[in-house]
Amino acid sequence: MANRPRQKMKPALVTFLIATLLGTTACGTQKEPGTADPGTKPAPKPEPVELTMFYPWSGYPKEKFMEDAGNSIIKKYPHISINYVQNEKGSSYEALIAGGLKPDLIMTTDSSFAAVKTVGWDGDITELAAKNKYNFDAINPGVLKGIQAVDPGKIAGLPSHVNSLALFYNKDLFDKFGVPYLTDGMTWDQVYEVAKKITRLEGGTVYRGFGIRTGNFIGMNQLSLPVVDKNNKAVFNTDSWKNYIGNFARFYQVPGYGATKELVEGAKAYDMFLKDQTLAMLVQMQSDYPRESLGQKINWDVVSYPTLAANPGTGPQPNIVFYVIPKTSDKRDSAFQALTAILEGEQQKAFVKTGLGSVLKQSPAASIGADVVPDLKGKNAKSLFPVKYADLVEPNTYLGVAQGQVYQAFLAAVLGSDDLNTALRVAQENANKAIETQLANKK
């Protein structure tokens, strides 16, 4: 508070103040009589600053960004405004740079960061954190380790939220066939035995035990198996990958399943689980939990992502969404301040409300109540998020190319068009050809 202008005191008032000071007991710290209180000067009002926030994809308008995160930044730092730019046309980073784009913040993911670094938009926030006395202790160690892994020796940015995988199940189908409900901490072998018990033909309807909605079980594999090495060579034709893919392929080879390409791929699996309700268990992103508020009527629950004997107690790799502060920005201090607002507890709880994973060590999901997320009332909500994430594989520009081929090998094995050994060998050859073509086109 600013000091008021001093006025000359009347003698009677001076006598009263001295008497009051002398009569005060010594229970606290006292100033010497006659010593003036210097007061506290108000902090200078920050100059207005506009941050250019770049979203490198399309389909995420400014209104949604502000609702999800931008408003929390402005609430904490009113002097900051956001110039939001999304890549609506899918332009290359090089074309955007040529057009004059100079972002102060870039949203990216662990699998997309390599493209950001390629054009020189990366940045190390280590010094910014030290300057602002920022404590990383509140962040989930696996998430922080993941961000450090994308650019070894640096801290590439601050996290926003995490996407992960979870195992959902239809309680009515378990009841129908007298199968005990799933529990946290199960292994894939245990889940496989459950799937076998449920898969059957009954009353003219085929009931299936298990399905996967997304191919992310490959990119987020819980053994942290690499698909591309530092020399841009595909490296997934290995025994480890064979065992990992075989773990999931066996679910579709249970007698009576009747696997087809349509049934295996994500959209149909989701319909069988949510609409037809003939699929008992479904692996999908945790943010896609059924919502009664949207008219999705199903008696469901969720358990932690099952584990493998080769890496017990470990969930999938996190799909980390984080913000980079480019080294080319001249507003890095303000950008760092903005990001700290996203990491505060209330904002993280808001992410959880929409089904996104918190990046905090103590996830608000564990204590979130039905008054905050009515669709999670009575659900095992804490298991939407793993206790321990698997280590991230080393980022590479061609991860997507290689992971796509691994998925093709998985499909070939499930559908019986190739044995798994052949399928992985062919897929690796195809991946290397595709990578070589892309490398040649860059020359």
Side-chain angles (χ1 to χ4, degrees), residues 323-343:
Y323 290 93
V324 173
I325 303 176
K327 58 193 174 189
T328 52
S329 171
D330 56 4
K331 303 172 185 175
R332 286 170 53 81
D333 286 315
S334 295
F336 186 87
Q337 287 183 328
L339 295 188
T340 62
I342 296 174
L343 283 166

Side-chain angles (χ1 to χ4, degrees), residues 18 24 41 54 67 71 78 103 118 194 200 215 265 281 296 299 310 314 318 345 357 362-363 376 405 422:
I18 292 175
T24 303
K41 292 183 178 180
F54 176 54
E67 177 185 335
N71 289 335
T118 298
V194 174
R200 67 184 74 189
E265 293 186 326
M281 296 179 285
Q296 298 171 342
N299 183 18
T314 303
Q362 299 296 328
S363 171
L376 294 179
Q405 287 300 322
T422 302

Side-chain angles (χ1 to χ4, degrees), residues 394-422:
E394 185 175 346
N396 186 287
T397 303
Y398 304 102
L399 281 179
V401 173
Q403 289 168 359
Q405 287 300 322
V406 175
Y407 187 73
Q408 292 305 312
F410 164 72
L411 283 178
V414 166
L415 301 176
S417 57
D418 269 325
D419 64 88
L420 190 49
N421 285 325
T422 302

Side-chain angles (χ1 to χ4, degrees), residues 167-428:
L167 180 61
F168 297 81
Y169 67 101
N170 183 327
K171 297 173 75 173
D172 286 344
L173 289 183
F174 277 70
D175 291 339
K176 180 180 179 69
F177 300 120
V179 178
Y181 293 156
L182 302 179
T183 57
D184 288 335
M186 296 181 76
T187 65
W188 283 112
D189 288 340
Q190 291 173 315
V191 174
Y192 176 64
E193 293 303 318
V194 174
K196 288 195 297 183
K197 292 177 181 178
I198 293 177
T199 301
R200 67 184 74 189
L201 173 64
E202 185 168 299
T205 299
V206 177
Y207 294 93
R208 296 175 172 87
F210 178 87
I212 303 175
R213 185 181 177 188
T214 170
N216 284 335
F217 76 97
I218 293 173
M220 298 165 69
N221 79 82
Q222 61 205 109
L223 296 180
S224 305
L225 300 174
V227 290
V228 181
D229 66 15
K230 61 182 180 181
N231 296 314
N232 296 324
K233 295 292 184 182
V235 290
F236 53 78
N237 186 18
T238 64
D239 287 341
S240 294
W241 266 111
K242 178 183 175 182
N243 292 335
Y244 183 76
I245 294 299
N247 172 68
F248 292 96
R250 61 178 170 163
F251 285 91
Y252 297 90
Q253 295 162 344
V254 171
Y257 196 102
T260 64
K261 188 172 185 292
E262 180 189 19
L263 289 177
V264 175
E265 293 186 326
K268 184 60 178 176
Y270 182 66
D271 285 345
M272 288 191 299
F273 181 74
L274 188 63
K275 298 179 181 179
D276 304 336
Q277 298 194 22
T278 57
L279 183 68
M281 296 179 285
L282 178 69
V283 168
Q284 64 177 353
M285 300 298 272
Q286 92 290 337
S287 57
D288 292 328
Y289 61 83
R291 290 163 166 81
E292 187 174 358
S293 61
L294 299 180
Q296 298 171 342
K297 305 290 186 180
I298 181 173
N299 183 18
W300 69 277
D301 212 336
V302 62
V303 293
S304 57
Y305 198 65
T307 62
L308 291 163
N311 197 9
T314 303
Q317 296 173 55
N319 176 240
I320 304 173
V321 179
F322 67 101
Y323 290 93
V324 173
I325 303 176
K327 58 193 174 189
T328 52
S329 171
D330 56 4
K331 303 172 185 175
R332 286 170 53 81
D333 286 315
S334 295
F336 186 87
Q337 287 183 328
L339 295 188
T340 62
I342 296 174
L343 283 166
E344 294 193 344
E346 286 304 311
Q347 177 58 45
Q348 289 294 304
K349 184 177 287 189
F351 283 143
V352 172
K353 183 176 180 180
T354 62
L356 299 174
S358 168
V359 300
L360 301 182
K361 187 184 297 182
Q362 299 296 328
S363 171
S367 59
I368 199 164
D371 58 327
V372 180
V373 188
D375 287 320
L376 294 179
K377 182 179 181 180
K379 309 301 181 184
N380 187 24
K382 69 180 188 302
S383 294
L384 290 168
F385 314 97
V387 174
K388 179 184 178 183
Y389 291 104
D391 291 340
L392 283 173
V393 300
E394 185 175 346
N396 186 287
T397 303
Y398 304 102
L399 281 179
V401 173
Q403 289 168 359
Q405 287 300 322
V406 175
Y407 187 73
Q408 292 305 312
F410 164 72
L411 283 178
V414 166
L415 301 176
S417 57
D418 269 325
D419 64 88
L420 190 49
N421 285 325
T422 302
L424 282 172
R425 176 179 56 79
V426 172
Q428 181 164 295

